[in-house]
Amino acid sequence: MIHELREIHHIVEKINQDHLHHLQDIREPVLIKINLSDNSHSYVEISRNGLRFVESHKEHHIKNQVILSFKDLKKLIDNPSNILRFVLNGRVNIKGNIKEILKVLEKI
């Protein structure tokens, strides 16, 4: 689990460095809930201020959410075009406005 969290931190830092300017026009934040191998969760909020780790209580306040496993997150980082297939197969769950969520995800 510590290895997974370290990798997630690295991914968040890299996206903030490389893609922050693409996130400036996000209207509503998106919460990414990452299921870790030890059945715990990590929460990352995507907003116009970039990506940041948040507490689990944000799950009740952010209506646009993406829920996926750490393994699927890594696969999507390597090949982002798989997102639609993963959603249709149920590997990635989306709650909220799917059009807005996909628009935000394509920016990163």
Side-chain angles (χ1 to χ4, degrees), residues 62-74:
I62 299 175
K63 69 177 184 175
N64 292 327
Q65 299 182 14
V66 177
I67 304 159
L68 72 164
S69 69
F70 174 74
K71 182 178 168 183
D72 288 335
L73 173 68
K74 287 196 46 136

Side-chain angles (χ1 to χ4, degrees), residues 47-101:
S47 70
R48 65 180 47 170
N49 300 320
L51 279 71
R52 66 185 179 105
F53 287 90
V54 294
E55 299 295 321
S56 63
H57 66 83
K58 283 283 198 171
E59 188 172 10
H60 304 291
H61 302 290
I62 299 175
K63 69 177 184 175
N64 292 327
Q65 299 182 14
V66 177
I67 304 159
L68 72 164
S69 69
F70 174 74
K71 182 178 168 183
D72 288 335
L73 173 68
K74 287 196 46 136
K75 288 180 181 180
L76 289 173
I77 294 295
D78 293 339
N79 192 356
S81 64
N82 284 334
I83 185 71
L84 196 53
R85 183 170 54 94
F86 281 22
V87 169
L88 293 174
N89 289 340
R91 292 171 68 172
V92 172
N93 295 316
I94 292 182
K95 295 180 183 178
N97 186 334
I98 190 167
K99 184 177 177 183
E100 286 293 319
I101 292 170

Side-chain angles (χ1 to χ4, degrees), residues 15-16 43-44 81 92 104-105:
I15 290 172
N16 280 333
Y43 298 88
V44 177
S81 64
V92 172
V104 168
L105 292 178

Side-chain angles (χ1 to χ4, degrees), residues 20-28 47-49 100 103-104 107:
L20 185 60
H21 60 284
H22 293 294
L23 303 174
Q24 297 303 313
D25 60 342
I26 292 178
R27 287 184 263 157
E28 292 189 42
S47 70
R48 65 180 47 170
N49 300 320
E100 286 293 319
K103 196 184 307 183
V104 168
K107 293 174 190 249

